[in-house]
Amino acid sequence: KEKEINAYITKSPLTWWVGKSDGKFDVAFLVWARNVTELGKFWQDFTGKYQKHIQEKVISVYTKIHDFSYAFFVPERVLDRAVQEVEQSETVEISEIEEKVLRVISGNARMPTVEIAKNLGITAMQVTYAIKQLKDKEVILGYRTKMNLKELGLTNYKAYFQLKDLEQYEEMVTFVRSKPNVIYIDESIGFADFEVEVLVQKHSEFSLFMNEFKDRFSEKIKDYNYFIYTEISKINYSPLQ
């Protein structure tokens, strides 16, 4: 049944990231939703179909994501790396052409302008202008290389902490930001007080990171846990349906 559930989630136009995990949970996925009603409809359909196969589930609403550029290849530049702060903002209007271009480049940002134009039946100049407009409107925040983590021997861990209070939250952010293997800090409602994702080649590297964090903030940590993403079956950065 796990394969069927994973296929259902992956096929949904509302999911943009789907991954299998090893730990407390078997699968994790992220959903684009314009409002609570849209999210509720998706969740009702999903649980209505598979509730009896689910032992435990957690819903978390992301309020902000600190998206760090990869620095583990050049750790000496960790403090200079780019960080994108992704959070809720005012809705902006985009044109039909901008929407079409966004759909294409969200799947392949390296596609040449001329090829995009040919596929969409528009001119290369229109493509260039559309991309510029999307950047100006901060719809496009940046580009990232999609790497085969397994081929590089890298494993994605997610650690999450329940805290006694949030007095040292910003200090925690500063601390993990200095670690080149950290790729995300996720701020959310409903799951944990502090969430961080790291890429490492060995479990011992993750253990070292966790031990440093726990030693540094031992008086503030109430509980913690982690899981490992073993496979990513879907990534689609465009929320457009």
Side-chain angles (χ1 to χ4, degrees):
K1 212 64 179 183
E2 183 178 334
K3 288 184 178 180
E4 181 183 328
I5 293 173
N6 190 70
Y8 178 91
I9 297 169
T10 302
K11 187 178 179 180
S12 171
L14 289 181
T15 59
W16 68 273
W17 187 98
V18 181
K20 293 182 179 180
S21 63
D22 182 15
K24 185 175 182 179
F25 303 101
D26 297 312
V27 64
F29 55 92
L30 299 177
V31 176
W32 293 114
R34 294 178 177 85
N35 49 54
V36 176
T37 301
E38 188 174 54
L39 175 61
K41 178 64 168 58
F42 167 85
W43 192 246
Q44 185 178 37
D45 291 344
F46 173 65
T47 54
K49 192 174 180 66
Y50 296 112
Q51 176 70 20
K52 63 182 179 181
H53 302 289
I54 301 173
Q55 180 175 340
E56 183 178 351
K57 55 186 182 291
V58 174
I59 296 179
S60 179
V61 179
Y62 283 114
T63 57
K64 187 175 185 178
I65 298 176
H66 305 255
D67 185 351
F68 298 92
S69 60
Y70 295 155
F72 40 81
F73 293 128
V74 281
E76 67 276 6
R77 298 181 58 186
V78 62
L79 296 180
D80 299 323
R81 62 176 168 168
V83 183
Q84 294 173 2
E85 310 289 351
V86 183
E87 57 188 324
Q88 181 67 42
S89 59
E90 293 184 6
T91 302
V92 297
E93 297 293 330
I94 63 175
S95 69
E96 182 179 349
I97 290 179
E98 289 166 4
E99 179 177 330
K100 290 179 178 180
V101 171
L102 184 60
R103 288 179 185 272
V104 173
I105 64 176
S106 65
N108 182 6
R110 299 184 65 185
M111 183 179 292
T113 301
V114 174
E115 188 175 343
I116 296 173
K118 183 179 179 180
N119 290 343
L120 298 178
I122 59 179
T123 67
M125 186 175 294
Q126 285 176 300
V127 173
T128 301
Y129 181 74
I131 292 175
K132 181 181 182 303
Q133 287 294 100
L134 290 167
K135 289 180 178 179
D136 290 344
K137 296 174 183 178
E138 296 187 343
V139 174
I140 294 177
L141 297 176
Y143 303 92
R144 167 169 287 181
T145 301
K146 182 180 178 181
M147 299 187 296
N148 188 325
L149 300 182
K150 288 186 178 180
E151 291 297 319
L152 294 171
L154 294 168
T155 301
N156 189 172
Y157 286 76
K158 177 161 186 169
Y160 51 99
F161 302 83
Q162 303 297 341
L163 306 176
K164 296 176 183 178
D165 59 60
L166 303 180
E167 292 179 355
Q168 289 185 285
Y169 188 91
E170 292 303 322
E171 188 178 339
M172 291 177 181
V173 172
T174 300
F175 175 79
V176 300
R177 182 173 181 173
S178 69
K179 303 302 179 182
N181 293 88
V182 169
I183 56 173
Y184 294 111
I185 299 174
D186 304 321
E187 297 185 22
S188 66
I189 299 172
F191 180 50
D193 298 315
F194 191 81
E195 305 172 37
V196 58
E197 295 185 37
V198 300
L199 284 177
V200 294
Q201 290 184 315
K202 300 177 182 179
H203 182 76
S204 59
E205 294 176 291
F206 175 72
S207 295
L208 178 61
F209 166 80
M210 290 292 286
N211 289 336
E212 288 182 1
F213 187 90
K214 289 185 293 181
D215 288 345
R216 180 76 171 267
F217 303 105
S218 59
E219 295 183 1
K220 298 298 180 180
I221 298 173
K222 184 189 301 182
D223 194 14
Y224 67 92
N225 209 330
Y226 71 89
F227 52 85
I228 304 169
Y229 293 124
T230 57
E231 179 183 330
I232 297 175
S233 54
K234 179 180 181 180
I235 298 179
N236 179 14
Y237 291 111
S238 173
L240 302 174
Q241 307 306 313

